[in-house]
Amino acid sequence: MFLDKLLLIFPIRVVFPIFISVVLILVGVFSGYVEIKESTRKLKQEKLKEVCSTAASFQEITEYLGEKGNTEFIERTLINISADPYIDVIFISSPDGKVIFSSMRKYIGKSYSTVIKETIPASYSYIFQAVKNFHRKTALFCKVLEKEGKIVALAPILFSYKEKDLRPSEIGFLFIAYRLDELISLHKTEIIKKILYQFGILFVIFIFVYIGFNKMIGERVNTIIKEVDRISRGELDVKIDLKGKDEFAFIAYVINQLVDRLNRYIKYDYLTGVLNRFGLEREVKRLLSENKDLWNVFIFIDIDNFKEVNDTFGHDVGDILLKKFAKKLSLVANGKVIGRLGGDEFIVFFQSQDKPYVEEMMENWMNELSGNIQIDEQIIHITLTAGVSIKKGEANFYDFLKESDIALYYGKKKGKKMFVIFNEELRLKEEKRIKLTEILKKSLENGDFYLVYQPIASLKTGKVVSVEALLRMKNDELGEVPPSEFIPILEETGLIREVGYWVLSEVCKQINVWSERGIKDISVSVNVDIQQLLDKNFVQNVESILNDSGVNPEKIKIEITESEAMKFPDIVIDVLSRLTDFGIEIAIDDFGTGYSSLSYLKLMPLSYIKIDRAFIKNIPTDKDDNILVLSIVNLAKSLGLKTIAEGVEERVQLLFLKEIGCDYIQGYYFSRPVLPDEIEEIIKTGKTVQA
């Protein structure tokens, strides 16, 4: 655990030698402690034995020579013993208590009690009592005095002998004080020097081994770290060049393979193989920065009525159509930058030295790209609408996207099957927009809009944890109007902002109604359009609606589609961040159908990723969709996000999603979008999703 935390701060090249050094130091300290303790114990025993032996021998010599009267030899023996540098003092006391022989002349003639008190003041009473005991028991006394750090030996000496009568006045004694603490201190120093020398050699050997290790392996590790760091900063053209069959070469090979695949996923559209939004934006920006004096042509192409192809023939046929169209476009616009924004929207970009006159080129393109496309037994006729933006010199990718989109919009308004070149006149053509605005405004005022709610169930518990609010329209004259028809008009006219605020207000009212009826834990997802997010007062208005209704922001989730979010990613990130600061959770809708950059995705303050129904419908039979859905779930987990699978209609789909760790499902398998009362019934009856 400690090493894991350390590796979060320092690289392993720093942690490894530090760790080994610390281990060596700890081992050295521990072994030194043990050795010092054991050797000190042995030293004490040896010196105690040695001092006791010396005292006993000297006792015998003194008694023998004393009886013979040979005091000169006694003095020489005493001097020889005191030559030991650790002998503190040695003296012989006469029976009357006076020092008669001593290693220090200043003590001769003094009372033995005075000398003992000076030599071992802390243990004086104890030693004095031992001397007194000689009159009862004439035995050798030898002790280690821990307080004094000394060894003291007392040996009784008989100065005269009386048969069967030994009087106290005839007993003197030998006193030896040995400075054990100084010897032990010196001994410890020697041991420490020895240990430092031994571990110093080990440390030097380790340094040489580590230098060799770092030379052989460190360079390969450094190469991998350096290149991976570049990859983490978004440089996906990096290749780690490590040859060999060792583990590092294999790691480099795996990283290169992952980067290649990641490069494809990030820069290229998985369906058509052309550049996706991220790759397109990156390439266009590169060309704009490198060639600032050239003419730039930005063409926004949209397949007319592509949704009808999906609705009529199915999304699988629609996907094949997109693939065939992208291949055809690549041939027609050979040598130019081609990308897919998402859905049926494609971009072509190129530069020219001379002012481009694109009318004839676009006429030819429209003729070549339009027409019949055969898919199996079906023949599908397609037409195109295109918006063109032309600028010279410094230009901005987003300006190109915006202007070509406006031109495309007006081409759609004029009846499709055409191209429109952006100019200032387009800004003035608002007649039809005003008319459409009036129609839709009446529908809003007349109460033609209402909300239905589709449950979102947890795959872990099976219970409903949230619902998605879906806008519906019923007009007295037109009857039920499909969302696919009226919502695009709301988006085109800009009324989506006003209707969006109405939807949020209605959702807050419904939350309060459910709360009064005992349903307090339900949260509601509300879809927002990019136009709402571009409204500078959007966050303020959302906060106002929630504050006025008294609804906790945690009960609201905001959903925005992947393709919408990536049109103006910087603005979207800023707005969504402010919403999350207020307490609202964010979900990215229809994930996987667009062109989102991972670098942008990780910057968005998301809580949920909603996997588009296009990938759910063919699982688990379609291996490619299985891999893609699993990748999205794993990506979400790595980013700390929850996943919601949309369009779950079959049990096998549910089982597959549960097995791979998807968090929530939404779709007809559990419930269609229903009115609020039916949601209340579902929750109160405890209906759960059954696998």
PDB file of all heavy atoms in Angstrom, residues 119-144:
ATOM      1  N   THR A 119      34.786   7.148  43.885  1.00  0.00           N
ATOM      2  CA  THR A 119      34.857   6.293  42.694  1.00  0.00           C
ATOM      3  C   THR A 119      33.475   5.880  42.200  1.00  0.00           C
ATOM      4  O   THR A 119      33.194   5.927  40.995  1.00  0.00           O
ATOM      5  CB  THR A 119      35.690   5.041  42.997  1.00  0.00           C
ATOM      6  OG1 THR A 119      36.962   5.430  43.511  1.00  0.00           O
ATOM      7  CG2 THR A 119      35.879   4.197  41.741  1.00  0.00           C
ATOM      8  N   ILE A 120      32.615   5.476  43.105  1.00  0.00           N
ATOM      9  CA  ILE A 120      31.271   5.013  42.719  1.00  0.00           C
ATOM     10  C   ILE A 120      30.234   5.644  43.645  1.00  0.00           C
ATOM     11  O   ILE A 120      29.649   4.976  44.508  1.00  0.00           O
ATOM     12  CB  ILE A 120      31.189   3.478  42.780  1.00  0.00           C
ATOM     13  CG1 ILE A 120      31.799   2.942  44.089  1.00  0.00           C
ATOM     14  CG2 ILE A 120      31.869   2.837  41.582  1.00  0.00           C
ATOM     15  CD1 ILE A 120      31.611   1.447  44.262  1.00  0.00           C
ATOM     16  N   PRO A 121      29.999   6.931  43.511  1.00  0.00           N
ATOM     17  CA  PRO A 121      29.106   7.618  44.451  1.00  0.00           C
ATOM     18  C   PRO A 121      27.684   7.064  44.462  1.00  0.00           C
ATOM     19  O   PRO A 121      27.055   7.004  45.517  1.00  0.00           O
ATOM     20  CB  PRO A 121      29.142   9.070  43.952  1.00  0.00           C
ATOM     21  CG  PRO A 121      29.580   8.983  42.517  1.00  0.00           C
ATOM     22  CD  PRO A 121      30.515   7.831  42.463  1.00  0.00           C
ATOM     23  N   ALA A 122      27.164   6.660  43.302  1.00  0.00           N
ATOM     24  CA  ALA A 122      25.772   6.209  43.251  1.00  0.00           C
ATOM     25  C   ALA A 122      25.576   4.860  43.924  1.00  0.00           C
ATOM     26  O   ALA A 122      24.476   4.535  44.369  1.00  0.00           O
ATOM     27  CB  ALA A 122      25.299   6.139  41.795  1.00  0.00           C
ATOM     28  N   SER A 123      26.633   4.062  43.996  1.00  0.00           N
ATOM     29  CA  SER A 123      26.517   2.708  44.572  1.00  0.00           C
ATOM     30  C   SER A 123      27.315   2.583  45.865  1.00  0.00           C
ATOM     31  O   SER A 123      27.625   1.469  46.324  1.00  0.00           O
ATOM     32  CB  SER A 123      27.019   1.670  43.558  1.00  0.00           C
ATOM     33  OG  SER A 123      26.332   1.780  42.342  1.00  0.00           O
ATOM     34  N   TYR A 124      27.671   3.673  46.465  1.00  0.00           N
ATOM     35  CA  TYR A 124      28.530   3.666  47.651  1.00  0.00           C
ATOM     36  C   TYR A 124      27.920   2.836  48.775  1.00  0.00           C
ATOM     37  O   TYR A 124      28.591   1.982  49.366  1.00  0.00           O
ATOM     38  CB  TYR A 124      28.789   5.092  48.124  1.00  0.00           C
ATOM     39  CG  TYR A 124      29.376   5.168  49.513  1.00  0.00           C
ATOM     40  CD1 TYR A 124      30.720   4.825  49.733  1.00  0.00           C
ATOM     41  CD2 TYR A 124      28.602   5.550  50.607  1.00  0.00           C
ATOM     42  CE1 TYR A 124      31.258   4.874  51.006  1.00  0.00           C
ATOM     43  CE2 TYR A 124      29.133   5.601  51.879  1.00  0.00           C
ATOM     44  CZ  TYR A 124      30.473   5.263  52.081  1.00  0.00           C
ATOM     45  OH  TYR A 124      30.996   5.308  53.340  1.00  0.00           O
ATOM     46  N   SER A 125      26.654   3.091  49.095  1.00  0.00           N
ATOM     47  CA  SER A 125      26.019   2.401  50.229  1.00  0.00           C
ATOM     48  C   SER A 125      26.009   0.905  50.012  1.00  0.00           C
ATOM     49  O   SER A 125      26.253   0.115  50.939  1.00  0.00           O
ATOM     50  CB  SER A 125      24.586   2.912  50.414  1.00  0.00           C
ATOM     51  OG  SER A 125      24.590   4.285  50.698  1.00  0.00           O
ATOM     52  N   TYR A 126      25.742   0.515  48.755  1.00  0.00           N
ATOM     53  CA  TYR A 126      25.662  -0.914  48.439  1.00  0.00           C
ATOM     54  C   TYR A 126      27.031  -1.581  48.627  1.00  0.00           C
ATOM     55  O   TYR A 126      27.144  -2.652  49.237  1.00  0.00           O
ATOM     56  CB  TYR A 126      25.169  -1.063  46.996  1.00  0.00           C
ATOM     57  CG  TYR A 126      25.131  -2.483  46.491  1.00  0.00           C
ATOM     58  CD1 TYR A 126      24.257  -3.414  47.043  1.00  0.00           C
ATOM     59  CD2 TYR A 126      25.972  -2.874  45.457  1.00  0.00           C
ATOM     60  CE1 TYR A 126      24.234  -4.704  46.567  1.00  0.00           C
ATOM     61  CE2 TYR A 126      25.943  -4.171  44.972  1.00  0.00           C
ATOM     62  CZ  TYR A 126      25.064  -5.086  45.534  1.00  0.00           C
ATOM     63  OH  TYR A 126      25.028  -6.369  45.066  1.00  0.00           O
ATOM     64  N   ILE A 127      28.090  -0.947  48.143  1.00  0.00           N
ATOM     65  CA  ILE A 127      29.439  -1.505  48.249  1.00  0.00           C
ATOM     66  C   ILE A 127      29.934  -1.451  49.695  1.00  0.00           C
ATOM     67  O   ILE A 127      30.611  -2.374  50.186  1.00  0.00           O
ATOM     68  CB  ILE A 127      30.403  -0.755  47.315  1.00  0.00           C
ATOM     69  CG1 ILE A 127      29.962  -0.933  45.862  1.00  0.00           C
ATOM     70  CG2 ILE A 127      31.833  -1.244  47.480  1.00  0.00           C
ATOM     71  CD1 ILE A 127      29.881  -2.382  45.413  1.00  0.00           C
ATOM     72  N   PHE A 128      29.602  -0.373  50.401  1.00  0.00           N
ATOM     73  CA  PHE A 128      30.020  -0.240  51.801  1.00  0.00           C
ATOM     74  C   PHE A 128      29.449  -1.387  52.637  1.00  0.00           C
ATOM     75  O   PHE A 128      30.125  -1.967  53.486  1.00  0.00           O
ATOM     76  CB  PHE A 128      29.568   1.112  52.355  1.00  0.00           C
ATOM     77  CG  PHE A 128      30.047   1.381  53.753  1.00  0.00           C
ATOM     78  CD1 PHE A 128      31.366   1.788  53.996  1.00  0.00           C
ATOM     79  CD2 PHE A 128      29.201   1.214  54.848  1.00  0.00           C
ATOM     80  CE1 PHE A 128      31.805   2.026  55.288  1.00  0.00           C
ATOM     81  CE2 PHE A 128      29.652   1.448  56.132  1.00  0.00           C
ATOM     82  CZ  PHE A 128      30.956   1.858  56.356  1.00  0.00           C
ATOM     83  N   GLN A 129      28.164  -1.752  52.329  1.00  0.00           N
ATOM     84  CA  GLN A 129      27.532  -2.851  53.056  1.00  0.00           C
ATOM     85  C   GLN A 129      28.208  -4.169  52.722  1.00  0.00           C
ATOM     86  O   GLN A 129      28.358  -5.049  53.581  1.00  0.00           O
ATOM     87  CB  GLN A 129      26.033  -2.915  52.701  1.00  0.00           C
ATOM     88  CG  GLN A 129      25.251  -3.926  53.517  1.00  0.00           C
ATOM     89  CD  GLN A 129      25.284  -3.618  55.007  1.00  0.00           C
ATOM     90  OE1 GLN A 129      25.174  -2.468  55.433  1.00  0.00           O
ATOM     91  NE2 GLN A 129      25.473  -4.645  55.835  1.00  0.00           N
ATOM     92  N   ALA A 130      28.661  -4.316  51.452  1.00  0.00           N
ATOM     93  CA  ALA A 130      29.357  -5.545  51.055  1.00  0.00           C
ATOM     94  C   ALA A 130      30.667  -5.696  51.824  1.00  0.00           C
ATOM     95  O   ALA A 130      31.072  -6.803  52.202  1.00  0.00           O
ATOM     96  CB  ALA A 130      29.619  -5.525  49.545  1.00  0.00           C
ATOM     97  N   VAL A 131      31.374  -4.565  52.064  1.00  0.00           N
ATOM     98  CA  VAL A 131      32.624  -4.597  52.837  1.00  0.00           C
ATOM     99  C   VAL A 131      32.336  -5.024  54.266  1.00  0.00           C
ATOM    100  O   VAL A 131      33.066  -5.839  54.854  1.00  0.00           O
ATOM    101  CB  VAL A 131      33.313  -3.223  52.794  1.00  0.00           C
ATOM    102  CG1 VAL A 131      34.505  -3.196  53.745  1.00  0.00           C
ATOM    103  CG2 VAL A 131      33.750  -2.900  51.373  1.00  0.00           C
ATOM    104  N   LYS A 132      31.252  -4.496  54.840  1.00  0.00           N
ATOM    105  CA  LYS A 132      30.892  -4.843  56.210  1.00  0.00           C
ATOM    106  C   LYS A 132      30.605  -6.334  56.353  1.00  0.00           C
ATOM    107  O   LYS A 132      30.877  -6.946  57.394  1.00  0.00           O
ATOM    108  CB  LYS A 132      29.671  -4.028  56.660  1.00  0.00           C
ATOM    109  CG  LYS A 132      29.933  -2.552  56.819  1.00  0.00           C
ATOM    110  CD  LYS A 132      30.934  -2.271  57.941  1.00  0.00           C
ATOM    111  CE  LYS A 132      31.111  -0.769  58.177  1.00  0.00           C
ATOM    112  NZ  LYS A 132      32.128  -0.531  59.231  1.00  0.00           N
ATOM    113  N   ASN A 133      30.036  -6.909  55.274  1.00  0.00           N
ATOM    114  CA  ASN A 133      29.674  -8.327  55.330  1.00  0.00           C
ATOM    115  C   ASN A 133      30.894  -9.241  55.403  1.00  0.00           C
ATOM    116  O   ASN A 133      30.776 -10.429  55.701  1.00  0.00           O
ATOM    117  CB  ASN A 133      28.827  -8.712  54.113  1.00  0.00           C
ATOM    118  CG  ASN A 133      27.445  -8.095  54.174  1.00  0.00           C
ATOM    119  OD1 ASN A 133      26.976  -7.746  55.270  1.00  0.00           O
ATOM    120  ND2 ASN A 133      26.787  -7.961  53.038  1.00  0.00           N
ATOM    121  N   PHE A 134      32.110  -8.703  55.057  1.00  0.00           N
ATOM    122  CA  PHE A 134      33.309  -9.529  55.123  1.00  0.00           C
ATOM    123  C   PHE A 134      33.557 -10.046  56.539  1.00  0.00           C
ATOM    124  O   PHE A 134      34.208 -11.074  56.733  1.00  0.00           O
ATOM    125  CB  PHE A 134      34.542  -8.740  54.654  1.00  0.00           C
ATOM    126  CG  PHE A 134      34.589  -8.585  53.159  1.00  0.00           C
ATOM    127  CD1 PHE A 134      35.300  -7.545  52.584  1.00  0.00           C
ATOM    128  CD2 PHE A 134      33.942  -9.491  52.327  1.00  0.00           C
ATOM    129  CE1 PHE A 134      35.360  -7.394  51.222  1.00  0.00           C
ATOM    130  CE2 PHE A 134      34.005  -9.340  50.964  1.00  0.00           C
ATOM    131  CZ  PHE A 134      34.704  -8.292  50.396  1.00  0.00           C
ATOM    132  N   HIS A 135      33.084  -9.331  57.539  1.00  0.00           N
ATOM    133  CA  HIS A 135      33.311  -9.748  58.918  1.00  0.00           C
ATOM    134  C   HIS A 135      32.455 -10.954  59.294  1.00  0.00           C
ATOM    135  O   HIS A 135      32.698 -11.598  60.298  1.00  0.00           O
ATOM    136  CB  HIS A 135      33.041  -8.581  59.871  1.00  0.00           C
ATOM    137  CG  HIS A 135      33.898  -7.380  59.569  1.00  0.00           C
ATOM    138  ND1 HIS A 135      35.282  -7.429  59.560  1.00  0.00           N
ATOM    139  CD2 HIS A 135      33.563  -6.098  59.250  1.00  0.00           C
ATOM    140  CE1 HIS A 135      35.764  -6.226  59.250  1.00  0.00           C
ATOM    141  NE2 HIS A 135      34.731  -5.396  59.055  1.00  0.00           N
ATOM    142  N   ARG A 136      31.384 -11.196  58.461  1.00  0.00           N
ATOM    143  CA  ARG A 136      30.541 -12.359  58.704  1.00  0.00           C
ATOM    144  C   ARG A 136      30.855 -13.490  57.743  1.00  0.00           C
ATOM    145  O   ARG A 136      30.752 -14.655  58.074  1.00  0.00           O
ATOM    146  CB  ARG A 136      29.059 -11.981  58.578  1.00  0.00           C
ATOM    147  CG  ARG A 136      28.585 -10.995  59.633  1.00  0.00           C
ATOM    148  CD  ARG A 136      27.057 -10.914  59.672  1.00  0.00           C
ATOM    149  NE  ARG A 136      26.495 -10.523  58.390  1.00  0.00           N
ATOM    150  CZ  ARG A 136      26.293  -9.266  58.025  1.00  0.00           C
ATOM    151  NH1 ARG A 136      26.610  -8.268  58.860  1.00  0.00           N
ATOM    152  NH2 ARG A 136      25.777  -8.987  56.850  1.00  0.00           N
ATOM    153  N   LYS A 137      31.202 -13.084  56.474  1.00  0.00           N
ATOM    154  CA  LYS A 137      31.469 -14.097  55.445  1.00  0.00           C
ATOM    155  C   LYS A 137      32.574 -13.587  54.558  1.00  0.00           C
ATOM    156  O   LYS A 137      32.394 -12.609  53.826  1.00  0.00           O
ATOM    157  CB  LYS A 137      30.199 -14.362  54.642  1.00  0.00           C
ATOM    158  CG  LYS A 137      30.381 -15.443  53.597  1.00  0.00           C
ATOM    159  CD  LYS A 137      29.063 -15.662  52.857  1.00  0.00           C
ATOM    160  CE  LYS A 137      29.220 -16.743  51.799  1.00  0.00           C
ATOM    161  NZ  LYS A 137      27.959 -16.957  51.056  1.00  0.00           N
ATOM    162  N   THR A 138      33.707 -14.222  54.615  1.00  0.00           N
ATOM    163  CA  THR A 138      34.859 -13.758  53.830  1.00  0.00           C
ATOM    164  C   THR A 138      34.842 -14.394  52.450  1.00  0.00           C
ATOM    165  O   THR A 138      35.562 -15.345  52.160  1.00  0.00           O
ATOM    166  CB  THR A 138      36.163 -14.114  54.563  1.00  0.00           C
ATOM    167  OG1 THR A 138      36.176 -15.527  54.783  1.00  0.00           O
ATOM    168  CG2 THR A 138      36.303 -13.375  55.885  1.00  0.00           C
ATOM    169  N   ALA A 139      33.950 -13.874  51.591  1.00  0.00           N
ATOM    170  CA  ALA A 139      33.821 -14.399  50.222  1.00  0.00           C
ATOM    171  C   ALA A 139      34.079 -13.281  49.211  1.00  0.00           C
ATOM    172  O   ALA A 139      33.829 -12.102  49.482  1.00  0.00           O
ATOM    173  CB  ALA A 139      32.428 -14.984  50.013  1.00  0.00           C
ATOM    174  N   LEU A 140      34.560 -13.673  48.018  1.00  0.00           N
ATOM    175  CA  LEU A 140      34.833 -12.723  46.934  1.00  0.00           C
ATOM    176  C   LEU A 140      33.516 -12.090  46.457  1.00  0.00           C
ATOM    177  O   LEU A 140      32.519 -12.772  46.254  1.00  0.00           O
ATOM    178  CB  LEU A 140      35.517 -13.448  45.776  1.00  0.00           C
ATOM    179  CG  LEU A 140      35.889 -12.582  44.560  1.00  0.00           C
ATOM    180  CD1 LEU A 140      36.995 -11.590  44.927  1.00  0.00           C
ATOM    181  CD2 LEU A 140      36.349 -13.482  43.412  1.00  0.00           C
ATOM    182  N   PHE A 141      33.536 -10.769  46.297  1.00  0.00           N
ATOM    183  CA  PHE A 141      32.369 -10.018  45.814  1.00  0.00           C
ATOM    184  C   PHE A 141      32.722  -9.408  44.453  1.00  0.00           C
ATOM    185  O   PHE A 141      33.710  -8.694  44.329  1.00  0.00           O
ATOM    186  CB  PHE A 141      32.009  -8.909  46.815  1.00  0.00           C
ATOM    187  CG  PHE A 141      30.899  -8.013  46.340  1.00  0.00           C
ATOM    188  CD1 PHE A 141      29.566  -8.318  46.622  1.00  0.00           C
ATOM    189  CD2 PHE A 141      31.172  -6.861  45.603  1.00  0.00           C
ATOM    190  CE1 PHE A 141      28.557  -7.479  46.192  1.00  0.00           C
ATOM    191  CE2 PHE A 141      30.158  -6.038  45.176  1.00  0.00           C
ATOM    192  CZ  PHE A 141      28.844  -6.343  45.462  1.00  0.00           C
ATOM    193  N   CYS A 142      31.883  -9.696  43.436  1.00  0.00           N
ATOM    194  CA  CYS A 142      32.167  -9.188  42.088  1.00  0.00           C
ATOM    195  C   CYS A 142      30.834  -8.868  41.413  1.00  0.00           C
ATOM    196  O   CYS A 142      29.990  -9.752  41.244  1.00  0.00           O
ATOM    197  CB  CYS A 142      32.934 -10.240  41.307  1.00  0.00           C
ATOM    198  SG  CYS A 142      34.102  -9.521  40.131  1.00  0.00           S
ATOM    199  N   LYS A 143      30.626  -7.582  41.010  1.00  0.00           N
ATOM    200  CA  LYS A 143      29.340  -7.158  40.447  1.00  0.00           C
ATOM    201  C   LYS A 143      29.554  -6.124  39.338  1.00  0.00           C
ATOM    202  O   LYS A 143      30.524  -5.362  39.347  1.00  0.00           O
ATOM    203  CB  LYS A 143      28.447  -6.529  41.526  1.00  0.00           C
ATOM    204  CG  LYS A 143      27.955  -7.489  42.588  1.00  0.00           C
ATOM    205  CD  LYS A 143      26.870  -8.401  42.025  1.00  0.00           C
ATOM    206  CE  LYS A 143      26.304  -9.288  43.126  1.00  0.00           C
ATOM    207  NZ  LYS A 143      25.270 -10.207  42.598  1.00  0.00           N
ATOM    208  N   VAL A 144      28.563  -6.121  38.409  1.00  0.00           N
ATOM    209  CA  VAL A 144      28.476  -5.042  37.408  1.00  0.00           C
ATOM    210  C   VAL A 144      27.510  -4.003  37.951  1.00  0.00           C
ATOM    211  O   VAL A 144      26.344  -4.305  38.226  1.00  0.00           O
ATOM    212  CB  VAL A 144      27.975  -5.561  36.049  1.00  0.00           C
ATOM    213  CG1 VAL A 144      27.818  -4.391  35.078  1.00  0.00           C
ATOM    214  CG2 VAL A 144      28.931  -6.590  35.472  1.00  0.00           C
TER     215      VAL A 144
END
